[in-house]
Amino acid sequence: MNDKAVNVLEQYEMTVNRTFKGRGTIICDTDQGMRVLKEYRGRTEKLELLYQLQSKLNDNLRTDTLVRNKEGALFVKDIDNSVYIVEELVEGKECSYKNEDDIVKACGAMAKLHLKFMTPQSEKICPMPVFFYADEMERHTIECKRVRNYIRKLHNKTDFERALLREYDYFLDKAVDVTRRAREESQAEYEAYVNSNGLYCHGDYQYHNVIFGKGSGGAYTGIVNLEHFAHDAGARDFYLLFRKISEKCDWSVDMAQSMIDAYQNRRVFPPIEWRSLCLRLAYPEKFWKIINFYYNSRKSWMPNRNYDKLESLISQEKNREKLLNKFFS
């Protein structure tokens, strides 16, 4: 364990027996149980609100709850002024995107999380802006237009750039159309809906942030890494997991039905959220991701993986459209 970690952990009321590396973290075996030390890059003012939200979860839906230091604060700083947090470790098996039962359980747990996270009173602790999806779409669409113009002006194009241009108009037209439709939604109405219901979501709900474990009280589901939580409706989390899993199973209609049912059996999407979900899914975000990675990488060398992603995107488009037309038209 390095000197920085020692300095940070000494600020907590616990004795550390041993440490080992986790995924971007240090896992600590302490006299208080297993703990996780990680660097935190967000606003520290949000941590009290996060702690309050975490405290709403019960035994069969757990999370890596923040731990207070000796002074009662939810974060500490090291000698370089970097911010760190310590959380309780949730132990168990990581959700597998290859296992339909795991994904169904993850969707059900997501709905339970959103119901628990409805807390209008928390807004008084740390005001947070509402995330409006049309704003992000507009930024992405502007970037797509800029990158197309950049590629068109290149004199010597690579095979990847030529392949990208062949598909560009199709996906850019989609991006422009969906962004226009999203802008037709009332931002004021959406923000009022999120604020009046006190809605918060995970913000990065992916399968590797869902853990299945067993304790003295029986089986439980753990939802971890909540530091990216957002002031937004549950449709945001569902969209992210749904898109990720659908891409991995070639936009399977059966899997889609299972995921939608698993969520809506516990929490039905209100119309305003369902519309936002339809628009999020209709937006060609995967294409934007490929564009963004290309534009911010070395142009002289493009990894084969990015070319493979473009080919996969093109080959899946028919199944994607079929699924969206069936459930989200």
Side-chain angles (χ1 to χ4, degrees), residues 171-185:
F171 288 105
L172 182 57
D173 287 348
K174 277 185 175 294
V176 170
D177 178 61
V178 177
T179 301
R180 175 189 57 77
R181 287 192 282 139
R183 275 293 172 213
E184 290 173 355
E185 293 288 315

Side-chain angles (χ1 to χ4, degrees), residues 131-329:
F131 179 94
F132 186 52
Y133 50 93
D135 293 337
E136 185 175 58
M137 289 178 186
E138 193 162 56
R139 289 194 300 271
H140 291 176
T141 301
I142 290 171
E143 183 176 3
C144 286
K145 291 178 179 179
R146 182 169 63 246
V147 175
R148 182 183 62 176
N149 293 336
Y150 166 80
I151 297 175
R152 281 178 169 176
K153 291 177 181 177
L154 293 174
H155 293 295
N156 298 313
K157 298 179 178 62
T158 64
D159 289 343
F160 175 76
E161 288 162 345
R162 284 192 289 270
L164 206 53
L165 278 180
R166 283 196 296 271
E167 309 300 331
Y168 222 108
D169 287 346
Y170 173 82
F171 288 105
L172 182 57
D173 287 348
K174 277 185 175 294
V176 170
D177 178 61
V178 177
T179 301
R180 175 189 57 77
R181 287 192 282 139
R183 275 293 172 213
E184 290 173 355
E185 293 288 315
S186 170
Q187 181 170 354
E189 181 186 0
Y190 189 81
E191 290 177 350
Y193 164 74
V194 173
N195 278 321
S196 63
N197 290 284
L199 302 181
Y200 295 88
C201 65
H202 185 287
D204 190 28
Y205 201 101
Q206 304 192 50
Y207 50 85
H208 58 251
N209 284 330
V210 181
I211 307 294
F212 302 118
K214 288 185 178 179
S216 56
Y220 62 81
T221 301
I223 301 174
V224 299
N225 297 323
L226 277 159
E227 302 87 64
H228 301 290
F229 80 107
H231 194 23
D232 198 359
R236 175 176 174 171
D237 282 346
F238 187 83
Y239 156 73
L240 177 60
L241 184 65
F242 186 91
R243 182 180 62 80
K244 290 273 189 181
I245 299 303
S246 293
E247 287 172 358
K248 291 184 177 296
C249 63
D250 197 17
W251 295 88
S252 163
V253 169
D254 291 340
M255 176 64 89
Q257 186 71 70
S258 296
M259 294 177 70
I260 294 168
D261 290 346
Y263 186 93
Q264 296 216 118
N265 284 342
R266 294 187 179 276
R267 177 181 182 263
V268 176
F269 287 113
I272 192 170
E273 283 194 51
W274 186 259
R275 294 199 304 273
S276 77
L277 177 59
C278 293
L279 288 164
R280 292 176 203 258
L281 285 167
Y283 191 86
E285 183 172 354
K286 188 72 173 182
F287 183 74
W288 167 79
K289 283 179 176 290
I290 294 171
I291 294 299
N292 178 262
F293 182 82
Y294 158 78
Y295 195 60
N296 292 289
S297 301
R298 286 169 50 200
K299 308 299 185 296
S300 57
W301 178 81
M302 185 55 55
N304 290 332
R305 188 180 177 192
N306 215 38
Y307 200 102
D308 293 342
K309 285 183 177 180
L310 178 61
E311 289 191 329
S312 175
L313 174 69
I314 296 166
S315 66
Q316 288 189 346
E317 183 61 16
K318 185 177 291 186
N319 285 344
R320 175 179 176 271
E321 284 293 311
K322 180 181 176 181
L323 185 148
L324 296 185
N325 287 334
K326 179 176 177 61
F327 293 109
F328 305 101
S329 60

